[in-house]
Amino acid sequence: MNEKNSLADFRHRLSRYGDTVHDRWLNTPGWQRWIVYALLIVGALLLPSESLGSFMSPYTDWASILFFPIGTYVVLAIGLNVVVGQAGLLDLGFVAFYAVGGYAMALIGTRLGWNFWLILLVGIGLCALSGVTLGAPTLRLRGDYLAIVTLGFGEIIRITARNTDSIGGPNGIRGIPHPPSLPDVELFGIKIFKYGVLDPRPYYYLLVALAVIVIILVKRWEKSRVGRAWAAIREDEDAAEVMGVPTFRFKMLAFAIGASIGGAMGVLWAAKAISINPNDFQFLLSATILAAVVMGGAGNLPGVMLGAFVVAWLPERFRGLQEYRMLIFGAVLVALMIFRPEGLLPSRQRRAELKEGSGGMGTLGAEVPGPESHGEEVASK
């Protein structure tokens, strides 16, 4: 009992500290916030430094790891967070939209020779349409039923790509063109717009620009009427519908937005990878991104990004331990879920949902009591 009390006290102190930091941030003047945002962007651009890479990734090239898996996971987690964290819809087939974007870049780039930027717009549009196509017949389902359908959709896309010889079949597509280069533009001695095979840093800088745009758009949606509708659906869809919220329409919008973000990342990744095949889009990737969202703090954008960073970075950091690295990675995840079941950086609202017994996932975890509610139930008996 003493161990349980001490653990609960530790969680409570962490929550109070997080709430204090959050309240101070809300009271910070706008111009100071923009300075912090600018410093964060500059810090992200300086991350490929070799001096930092010697510690962060001593066994592999740090700049390459920053693009994939770290940066890729972060952008994908932001997109999945719109669906899972904000709208409360469990999507186990998110990798399908990543695949649609990648194949759009591969097919259009190799066969039609279109410009990368035009393909990026087309890929975003195709993935939004895919999200609507998936959502239209399935979003009237809830919880585990929706999860099963989205899981099936992800497998359908992968198996279709593998069995369709016209798009490469199991061998995939090779010779995907890079984005157009501007080799004369340099920053700190780095040709930041020269996209080739050897240097991954220009692709990483392009990914940072994509991530910044996505974050701005997602935060704008979150603070708008759309974000309030998503929160209402996540907490109680029936109550939201009774109060006049067109739940189906807003769930479709969440699927379309999440799919668009996943597709944009797929286009950029394919342009860097040069070749793709169906094995690049396994279900494990969807599960990993979902784990990053939940572990970081579903619904809280900084937490989701931190969770994606940890999930992508830890296996690479301990790569020198060979077969034991995944054991350490799993142990860290288990420890985090024990000490921080609501996530590394949960929002105050989601933490309250977890305490009330919704499992921290809105309707997704409605049958899973949170740690506090479970303790209260045992005490009452």
Side-chain angles (χ1 to χ4, degrees), residues 128-178:
L129 181 60
S130 299
V132 172
T133 302
L134 171 63
T138 62
L139 283 179
R140 300 193 187 280
L141 301 173
R142 300 184 187 181
D144 48 357
Y145 298 101
L146 178 62
I148 292 171
V149 171
T150 55
L151 171 60
F153 177 74
E155 288 300 290
I156 287 171
I157 293 295
R158 183 179 65 84
I159 294 173
T160 300
R162 187 182 65 191
N163 294 332
T164 305
D165 293 334
S166 60
I167 58 174
N171 295 323
I173 302 174
R174 297 181 180 138
I176 304 172
H178 297 298

Side-chain angles (χ1 to χ4, degrees), residues 37 114 200 217 324 372 374 379:
Y37 294 148
W114 290 10
L217 293 176
Y324 296 105
E372 288 84 354
H374 180 70

Side-chain angles (χ1 to χ4, degrees), residues 7 10 90 134 141 147 219 262 292 301:
L7 181 59
F10 175 71
L90 185 53
L134 171 63
L141 301 173
K219 291 300 292 185
L301 192 56

Side-chain angles (χ1 to χ4, degrees), residues 31 98 167 173 189 207 298 369 379:
W31 64 272
Y98 180 56
I167 58 174
I173 302 174
L207 187 149

Side-chain angles (χ1 to χ4, degrees), residues 3 16 56 62 64-65 69 81 129 144-145 152 188 216 231 235 251 263 277:
E3 292 181 358
R16 288 186 59 186
M56 297 296 289
W62 173 234
S64 298
I65 295 303
N81 182 58
L129 181 60
D144 48 357
Y145 298 101
F188 301 114
I216 292 173
E235 293 178 11
K251 289 194 295 183
N277 66 76

Side-chain angles (χ1 to χ4, degrees), residues 96-129:
F97 307 118
Y98 180 56
V100 170
Y103 269 91
M105 177 67 209
L107 289 170
I108 299 176
T110 56
R111 300 186 181 181
L112 300 180
W114 290 10
N115 184 277
F116 167 81
W117 303 106
L118 182 57
I119 299 175
L120 179 61
L121 296 178
V122 172
I124 291 173
L126 285 175
C127 289
L129 181 60

